[in-house]
């Protein structure tokens, strides 16, 4: 029973038991020395809270909105490719969890089942994430299907001009199905420019999210191009190694955006405290990649609902102990720089795990 999991640590342990080594490494690993992935955690762990006391916090409202869509907590599901390897339902599983819990999920363009089937599986709001694998005629065809299926927004991922060297996969002599099929089509992603982005945004005609922004410079250009949501991400460290932790870039990006777009962030988010830190520094919401995959690997969509419930509890407790009752009361004064207390790994926040699960 998924309700038996009392901590997200237990879901991670169960996923490790359930998933074959190759899938575990696909889900849990990152590029090369996995420095970017570790820095995502380090950046989160290098912030401490500044709580305020003697505020009536007997009622705490954890909800927010992104692009006008109501979220029960400031957490959405990041796009994950080849989800069918992690749970038999594939992308239908996070869609069901999002509907049941009350959030929104991003549907990867490289997962099963087909985008139409995932769209029809629930009535909840979904965002389509696109990788470019063809010319603008190809884009028109796929975005026609996306719009026809009722997706509420379009997310273009732009941190993937090349596929990162994911050494766990290489050393397993294993590739995800989407990569096995790939031919020279991948070059279209490498050829992307701001001009092509404009054309794709125009063809989409949907609220537009740019995923993979990592600097204030690019955030400022994105705002000039009318992007609705700046999605700060380094792909969980799976692409460029030796990048910054995303939370280290959030303040400069918030400043560059100047309120002209909403900001979403991912990279190492596993705890309610992590979510509250991001919202304090100006993100509207975070998304979860690995935690989503571990929860699905542990117990399918019910496991993911449970992970979200546990996050909700952690967020509620954190907000209450900080002296805030609504997310819009959180601000930069609630956090400060601090020294991390443990060497970061992708799961180091789960201190009661038997050991780092490899
Ligand atoms: C197994 C896996 C598959 C992913 N597939 C995609 C994808 O198809 N499209 C995409 O934009 N990002 C993809 N990502 C990146 C996530 O959307 C997200 O940026 C990242 O996982 C966030 O970091 P976290 O895993 O530390 O939460 C994938 C991540 C994982 C773990």
């Amino acid at each position: 029973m998924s309700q038996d999991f009392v901590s997200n640590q237990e879901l991670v342990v169960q996923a490790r038991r359930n998933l074959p080594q190759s899938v575990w490494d696909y889900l849990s690993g990152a590029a090369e020395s996995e420095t970017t992935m570790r820095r995502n955690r380090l950046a989160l762990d290098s912030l401490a809270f500044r709580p305020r006391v003697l505020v009536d916090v007997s009622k705490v409202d954890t909800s927010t909105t992104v692009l006008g869509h109501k979220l029960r907590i400031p957490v959405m599901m990041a796009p994950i490719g080849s989800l069918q390897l992690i749970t038999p339902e594939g992308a239908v599983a996070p869609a069901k969890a999002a509907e049941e819990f009350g959030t929104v999920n991003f549907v990867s363009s490289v997962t099963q089942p087909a985008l139409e089937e995932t769209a029809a599986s629930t009535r909840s709001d979904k965002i389509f994430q696109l990788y470019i694998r063809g010319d603008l005629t190809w884009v028109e065809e796929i975005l026609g299907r996306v719009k026809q299926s009722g997706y509420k927004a379009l997310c273009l991922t732009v941190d993937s001009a090349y596929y990162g060297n994911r050494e766990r996969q290489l050393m397993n002599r294993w590739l995800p199905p989407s990569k096995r099929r790939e031919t020279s089509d991948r070059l279209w992603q490498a050829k992307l420019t701001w001009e092509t982005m404009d054309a794709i945004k125009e063809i989409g005609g949907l609220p537009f999210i740019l995923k993979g922004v990592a600097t204030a410079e690019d955030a400022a250009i994105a705002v000039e191009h009318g992007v609705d949501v700046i999605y700060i991400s380094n792909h969980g460290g799976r692409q460029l190694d030796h990048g910054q932790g995303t939370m280290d870039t959030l303040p400069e990006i918030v400043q560059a955006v100047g309120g002209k777009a909403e900001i979403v962030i991912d990279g190492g988010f596993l705890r309610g405290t992590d979510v509250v830190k991001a919202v304090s520094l100006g993100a509207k919401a975070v998304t979860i990649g690995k935690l989503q995959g571990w929860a699905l690997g542990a117990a399918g969509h019910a496991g993911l609902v449970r992970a979200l419930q546990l996050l909700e509890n952690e967020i509620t407790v954190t907000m209450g102990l900080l002296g805030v009752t609504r997310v819009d009361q959180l601000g930069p004064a609630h956090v400060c720089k601090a020294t991390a207390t443990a060497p970061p790994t992708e799961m180091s926040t789960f201190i009661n795990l038997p050991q780092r699960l490899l």
Side-chain angles (χ1 to χ4, degrees), residues 230-232 246-247 249-250 263-267 269 278 283 285-287:
I230 310 284
Y231 184 157
I232 304 173
T246 52
M247 280 293 283
T249 68
L250 179 59
I263 294 176
V264 167
I265 186 168
D266 70 22
F269 288 88
V286 316
T287 73

Side-chain angles (χ1 to χ4, degrees), residues 39-51 247-248 277 281 332-344:
R39 287 210 177 111
N40 281 340
R41 267 317 312 169
L42 184 61
L44 281 161
D45 292 340
S46 302
L47 289 168
F49 285 118
R50 301 181 66 251
M247 280 293 283
D248 282 334
K277 287 174 183 178
L281 288 178
H334 288 108
V335 291
C336 61
K337 280 279 173 199
T339 309
T341 59

Side-chain angles (χ1 to χ4, degrees), residues 209-246:
I209 302 166
L210 193 63
K211 178 173 187 277
V213 176
T215 60
E217 292 91 316
D218 279 342
I221 301 173
V223 168
E224 279 169 27
H225 284 250
V227 166
D228 300 293
V229 177
I230 310 284
Y231 184 157
I232 304 173
S233 177
N234 52 34
H235 225 100
R238 301 163 77 82
Q239 289 296 105
L240 177 68
D241 200 19
H242 287 271
Q244 288 179 279
T246 52

Side-chain angles (χ1 to χ4, degrees), residues 15 18-27 80-91 110-113 163 169 174-181 238 293 296-298:
N18 292 354
L19 296 175
Q21 187 69 42
S22 53
V23 176
W24 173 262
D25 283 336
Y26 165 62
L27 171 59
I80 297 189
S82 305
L83 263 176
Q84 68 278 9
L85 301 176
I86 296 170
T87 174
E89 288 185 302
V110 291
T111 190
Q112 297 294 321
Y163 191 76
Q169 290 176 33
W174 183 94
L175 286 171
S178 57
K179 187 88 172 56
R180 286 174 218 158
R181 276 197 307 276
R238 301 163 77 82
L296 292 170

Side-chain angles (χ1 to χ4, degrees), residues 83-301:
L83 263 176
Q84 68 278 9
L85 301 176
I86 296 170
T87 174
E89 288 185 302
V92 169
K96 280 188 183 166
E99 179 171 57
E100 193 173 326
F101 181 80
T103 183
V104 167
N105 72 299
F106 286 70
V107 179
S108 166
S109 53
V110 291
T111 190
Q112 297 294 321
L115 66 93
E116 289 85 356
E117 194 179 323
T118 304
S121 66
T122 69
R123 280 188 295 182
S124 53
D125 294 336
K126 298 175 201 71
I127 297 169
F128 188 77
Q129 176 271 323
L130 184 65
Y131 284 130
I132 302 300
R133 296 288 184 264
D135 60 11
L136 290 181
T137 311
W138 179 90
V139 172
E140 271 172 26
E141 194 270 327
I142 189 162
L143 292 187
R145 291 169 54 204
V146 166
K147 280 187 280 188
Q148 184 73 28
S149 308
Y151 286 87
K152 300 290 181 201
L154 173 63
C155 166
L156 179 68
T157 300
V158 291
D159 58 10
S160 303
Y162 287 80
Y163 191 76
N165 288 312
R166 310 196 186 153
E167 293 207 349
R168 297 198 206 185
Q169 290 176 33
L170 289 168
M171 292 167 82
N172 288 335
R173 271 92 186 145
W174 183 94
L175 286 171
S178 57
K179 187 88 172 56
R180 286 174 218 158
R181 276 197 307 276
E182 264 170 345
T183 55
S184 58
D185 289 357
R186 189 163 250 285
L187 273 181
W188 291 104
Q189 187 77 27
K191 287 181 181 164
L192 278 180
T193 62
W194 289 104
E195 288 66 39
T196 346
M197 185 208 77
D198 285 339
I200 295 164
K201 182 167 162 290
E202 180 79 22
I203 293 169
L206 291 167
F208 191 82
I209 302 166
L210 193 63
K211 178 173 187 277
V213 176
T215 60
E217 292 91 316
D218 279 342
I221 301 173
V223 168
E224 279 169 27
H225 284 250
V227 166
D228 300 293
V229 177
I230 310 284
Y231 184 157
I232 304 173
S233 177
N234 52 34
H235 225 100
R238 301 163 77 82
Q239 289 296 105
L240 177 68
D241 200 19
H242 287 271
Q244 288 179 279
T246 52
M247 280 293 283
D248 282 334
T249 68
L250 179 59
E252 68 175 52
I253 293 178
V254 167
Q255 200 183 3
V257 169
K260 297 194 192 90
E262 292 187 332
I263 294 176
V264 167
I265 186 168
D266 70 22
F269 288 88
L270 301 173
R271 288 280 193 193
T273 45
D274 301 334
V275 178
V276 174
K277 287 174 183 178
V279 174
S280 297
L281 288 178
K284 207 75 206 289
V286 316
T287 73
I288 50 171
K290 283 186 284 295
L291 180 59
Q292 177 192 164
W294 288 327
L296 292 170
H301 83 265

